Amino acid sequence: MAYKISKWSLAPLYPSYESAELQSAFDMIEEQVTSFEGVRGKLNPDISTEQFLQVIHASEEMTRVGNKLYSFAGLSFTADTQDQAAQSLYSRAQQFLAEIENRTLFFSLWWKEVDEVNAKRLMDASGDYRYYLESMRLFKPHTLSEAEEKVVNLKNVTGVNALNTLYDSITSRYVFKLKVKGKVQELTRGQVMRFAQGSDPKMRAAAYQELYRVYGEAGPILGQIYQTVARDWHNENISLRKFSDPLSVRNLANDIPNEAVDALLETARKNTNIFKRYFNLKAKTLGVKKLRRYDIYAPVAGSDKKYDYGKAAEMVLESFSAFDPKLGDLARRVFDDNRLDSEVRKGKRDGAFCWSVLPDMTPYVLLNYQGNARDVATMAHELGHAIHSMLASHHSTFTFHSSLPLAETASTFGEMMFTDKLLAEEKDEAVRRDILFKQVDDAYATIMRQSYFALFEKQAHDMIQKNASVDELSAAYMENLKEQLGDSVELSDEFKWEWVSIPHIYHTPFYVYAYAFGQLLVFSLYQQYKIEGESFKPRYLKILSAGGSEAPAKILEEAGINIRDPKFWQGGFDVLEKLVSELEKLPLKGKSKKTARSRRARKLL
């Protein structure tokens, strides 16, 4: 069947905002919570395993209904951030679920205080819930009193959560005006980025200038929102919860050792020269003395090849099926169950994501599809996330979601499988060459750029505590760009506003290193796949099927990977260095040697 660009259907969650089923969900959670509150007096360290599991099952049932309700509200809002009904429901859901969390908070507080002997006894009998229970206890040193935890939950609804909703509403309304073929067009951010990454150098510059003109005009306000988010992060996590530093909060949530993240970021910092060499090479390939920041993602081929949506979908599905037919079947479910919103439209959130609601429910995927090669790769990436979730569907609601660092494994691996297929089938050598360069472009965007975002976040959180202004943060961001790009790229002043356009640093502080973690991990895994072939597949699928049922370090240790060792991270950069070295050997003109060498370069990834 030929798939077409379409909106998703949220009917499998609830029929509409006014439906009886949606109101029933609020009532059902209320009843479940009232019943759950009745177990409070029965909780004691020597509780029987049978009673304990009954409490866990009751908690999971509440979570299932809450996840559905919140997902319906959140997905409705992202589909149209300007819809007042969606805004209202989203706010209502956040307030209601925060109040529910407060009423059930007693269980997690009690569990963290259970002595080690009884905790082990209960975890040993808890089956798939074990890691969920184990990870909860990691937060014991940073847990407040019940009264304080309740205040924090309620504060978040009208505080940081409300600020992030406001940020989304403001930035989703932006209209970017660009003169295209003599006529001024009004574009979404996704549409303007098509020109920012297109083949026309003048349009690339105009697109970026317009993008950061709009963000720059609102920069003082967006920057103030960020300052408040960072202060809230510090007030809660450093002042109240006594974490050692802002980054360690995310590391504990990810259950990743601080030294592993430090090793990743320091290794990235030591390898900036790989991309500086690459940007110098790309400048020569494009026939310019030096790349401008506008040109980093420029195609090296002279034309922008377009991919029909239906054809693109089949190509992506075939690439998954070639690895394992089961993966292709799982990805196809997202299309067949109408869980994919691929339209570009005003008010819809830009970018792309995969949203997993429940282990037994097909995930939702958001795209803004415009037909270029990156859009097809993004489709493969987000469907990889969906596959990861569905492979872990045998786990509980508490343990099927993978941790953030491992969450990028299937998505990035899927993107690389698709790129391999694209290279194998593409006959036009100019397009093949462009695909190879795009792989390094994407590696820069995913590894170095995201690592430096994390380094900027660390610096920004520290500066904000010292009362830095928005202009001072912008100046620090420019220095961050200069360090990662060096003399290989010419920077224009408007890029000082790039940081206020990055939603992740607002919504999920320090999320971004997960991208670099995932990409470098996948380089390692993909190399093993190329060497081992069929024998690699069971080990890879085991990693994905684990979901969030074990600590990331343990899951990877079983695959022979030590994330604390800087040598592991350096191995990923070594793959990139070899690829750049091969690209440097390609002649700038001619085809006879180029084909063989480009195939050789492709084998490195």
Side-chain angles (χ1 to χ4, degrees):
M1 116 180 236
Y3 295 111
K4 297 179 180 179
I5 289 177
S6 62
K7 298 180 182 179
W8 54 34
S9 170
L10 298 182
L13 295 170
Y14 299 102
S16 68
Y17 299 139
E18 300 81 18
S19 67
E21 291 90 339
L22 180 59
Q23 183 54 50
S24 173
F26 284 97
D27 297 338
M28 185 185 303
I29 295 177
E30 183 68 40
E31 291 174 10
Q32 289 173 325
V33 171
T34 301
S35 174
F36 190 79
E37 287 173 317
V39 308
R40 182 168 191 154
K42 301 174 184 176
L43 296 175
N44 58 76
D46 55 1
I47 187 174
S48 71
T49 55
E50 291 79 12
Q51 280 185 304
F52 182 71
L53 286 175
Q54 286 175 6
V55 174
I56 298 297
H57 289 146
S59 176
E60 183 178 19
E61 284 306 306
M62 285 187 297
T63 302
R64 286 180 61 85
V65 182
N67 281 5
K68 274 189 68 178
L69 194 157
Y70 181 76
S71 296
F72 180 73
L75 290 167
S76 297
F77 176 69
T78 58
D80 187 352
T81 62
Q82 307 308 304
D83 183 338
Q84 293 187 20
Q87 293 171 354
S88 177
L89 176 62
Y90 195 36
S91 297
R92 178 190 177 192
Q94 287 180 320
Q95 177 71 33
F96 177 76
L97 292 173
E99 292 169 359
I100 293 304
E101 186 176 352
N102 276 353
R103 289 171 60 186
T104 58
L105 187 61
F106 66 87
F107 173 74
S108 64
L109 295 177
W110 167 79
W111 173 243
K112 291 172 191 176
E113 294 299 328
V114 173
D115 63 275
E116 290 297 328
V117 173
N118 277 303
K120 183 178 185 307
R121 172 179 65 85
L122 295 170
M123 286 192 290
D124 285 346
S126 62
D128 193 64
Y129 299 112
R130 181 188 176 91
Y131 178 63
Y132 161 69
L133 295 166
E134 183 182 302
S135 59
M136 204 188 304
R137 288 173 65 84
L138 297 176
F139 287 85
K140 181 179 177 178
H142 308 291
T143 299
L144 308 175
S145 70
E146 183 171 0
E148 289 170 316
E149 291 288 356
K150 286 181 175 180
V151 170
V152 168
N153 286 338
L154 291 177
K155 175 269 300 180
N156 285 345
V157 174
T158 51
V160 68
N161 294 350
L163 277 175
N164 280 321
T165 301
L166 182 63
Y167 174 88
D168 284 346
S169 295
I170 290 172
T171 55
S172 294
R173 291 183 64 168
Y174 288 163
V175 173
F176 303 93
K177 296 179 179 179
L178 203 61
K179 184 176 283 189
V180 182
K181 296 180 180 179
K183 184 179 179 182
V184 175
Q185 295 187 8
E186 293 189 349
L187 306 170
T188 65
R189 177 174 176 170
Q191 289 171 324
V192 86
M193 287 307 295
R194 178 164 58 93
F195 293 100
Q197 297 174 355
S199 59
D200 185 331
K202 290 184 179 179
M203 290 302 295
R204 288 198 296 270
Y208 272 117
Q209 288 162 7
E210 173 64 5
L211 180 71
Y212 294 124
R213 178 192 68 79
V214 173
Y215 273 97
E217 285 181 354
I221 296 298
L222 298 181
Q224 191 175 351
I225 291 175
Y226 182 73
Q227 288 172 316
T228 307
V229 169
R231 288 194 180 103
D232 178 86
W233 188 263
H234 186 277
N235 290 344
E236 177 181 335
N237 295 301
I238 311 300
S239 300
L240 295 178
R241 299 192 184 278
K242 308 302 181 186
F243 279 91
S244 59
D245 62 85
L247 178 57
S248 66
V249 185
R250 178 63 55 209
N251 295 345
L252 185 62
N254 291 342
D255 198 4
I256 294 289
N258 289 339
E259 58 266 31
V261 179
D262 291 343
L264 163 62
L265 295 179
E266 282 307 307
T267 305
R269 209 164 202 162
K270 290 175 181 176
N271 282 275
T272 56
N273 193 52
I274 294 173
F275 289 105
K276 291 172 186 175
R277 279 171 51 201
Y278 170 70
F279 293 138
N280 288 330
L281 167 66
K282 190 165 185 178
K284 292 177 183 177
T285 307
L286 292 172
V288 296
K289 289 184 179 179
K290 181 187 283 192
L291 284 188
R292 305 166 301 169
R293 174 59 183 82
Y294 310 131
D295 306 320
I296 280 183
Y297 304 115
V300 295
S303 62
D304 297 331
K305 183 171 180 177
K306 297 300 177 186
Y307 296 85
D308 171 75
Y309 181 78
K311 174 64 176 172
E314 287 304 325
M315 289 171 65
V316 170
L317 292 171
E318 286 168 9
S319 71
F320 283 120
S321 295
F323 182 86
D324 188 313
K326 181 181 180 181
L327 300 191
D329 291 342
L330 290 174
R332 196 174 289 278
R333 257 176 58 187
V334 178
F335 291 93
D336 293 345
D337 291 355
N338 201 14
R339 304 299 170 89
L340 204 155
D341 188 332
S342 49
E343 279 190 342
V344 176
R345 57 181 184 273
K346 289 182 180 178
K348 178 184 172 183
R349 178 176 154 177
D350 261 320
F353 64 68
C354 175
W355 187 311
S356 296
V357 182
L358 295 170
D360 51 336
M361 181 173 281
T362 306
Y364 282 86
V365 169
L366 179 138
L367 303 174
N368 282 273
Y369 190 83
Q370 297 179 75
N372 57 42
R374 272 203 176 86
D375 289 335
V376 192
T378 298
M379 181 191 293
H381 184 98
E382 299 305 335
L383 288 172
H385 280 305
I387 288 168
H388 196 165
S389 174
M390 289 185 278
L391 282 173
S393 63
H394 56 291
H395 293 296
S396 73
T397 306
F398 298 134
T399 55
F400 85 106
H401 270 293
S402 97
S403 68
L404 286 182
L406 290 190
E408 296 301 324
T409 308
S411 53
T412 307
F413 199 94
E415 200 172 338
M416 292 181 77
M417 288 194 299
F418 165 72
T419 303
D420 259 6
K421 177 178 175 59
L422 204 58
L423 282 163
E425 295 181 358
E426 182 58 61
K427 304 303 180 189
D428 186 329
E429 185 57 33
V431 176
R432 286 170 53 78
R433 185 185 181 89
D434 194 34
I435 292 168
L436 282 169
F437 272 80
K438 273 194 172 79
Q439 283 194 298
V440 188
D441 290 348
D442 292 343
Y444 163 72
T446 307
I447 297 172
M448 196 59 70
R449 188 167 181 257
Q450 302 298 334
S451 295
Y452 268 82
F453 279 153
L455 291 168
F456 170 72
E457 282 188 90
K458 287 178 68 175
Q459 182 182 10
H461 277 246
D462 181 60
M463 289 177 65
I464 288 165
Q465 287 308 305
K466 296 173 182 174
N467 301 310
S469 68
V470 172
D471 283 343
E472 287 170 331
L473 291 171
S474 293
Y477 184 74
M478 284 296 278
E479 290 304 312
N480 175 288
L481 284 175
K482 289 173 184 176
E483 180 182 327
Q484 62 174 296
L485 300 173
D487 294 332
S488 64
V489 174
E490 180 183 303
L491 271 173
S492 301
D493 188 57
E494 66 267 15
F495 282 92
K496 69 183 182 183
W497 294 116
E498 183 176 27
W499 65 280
V500 301
S501 74
I502 310 301
H504 276 320
I505 71 173
Y506 287 80
H507 296 324
T508 318
F510 304 103
Y511 177 102
V512 289
Y513 76 71
Y515 288 109
F517 189 113
Q519 179 77 73
L520 291 169
L521 170 62
V522 167
F523 277 165
S524 173
L525 293 174
Y526 209 70
Q527 287 302 294
Q528 291 178 37
Y529 169 46
K530 290 292 189 182
I531 294 167
E532 299 172 24
E534 289 296 318
S535 65
F536 165 84
K537 293 180 180 180
R539 190 165 71 255
Y540 172 68
L541 294 175
K542 184 180 179 182
I543 291 173
L544 301 188
S545 297
S549 63
E550 284 287 0
K554 184 175 180 180
I555 292 171
L556 294 176
E557 188 178 350
E558 291 178 358
I561 294 168
N562 178 9
I563 59 175
R564 291 177 173 85
D565 187 353
K567 292 178 182 176
F568 166 69
W569 301 113
Q570 185 59 49
F573 283 104
D574 290 346
V575 172
L576 278 169
E577 197 282 329
K578 289 175 185 175
L579 179 61
V580 171
S581 293
E582 288 297 323
L583 289 176
E584 286 172 332
K585 296 173 186 175
L586 296 180
L588 296 180
K589 294 181 181 180
K591 294 185 178 181
S592 59
K593 295 180 181 178
K594 189 191 304 179
T595 302
R597 282 181 175 161
S598 64
R599 284 175 181 157
R600 184 179 167 198
R602 172 166 61 93
K603 288 178 181 178
L604 290 168
L605 284 179

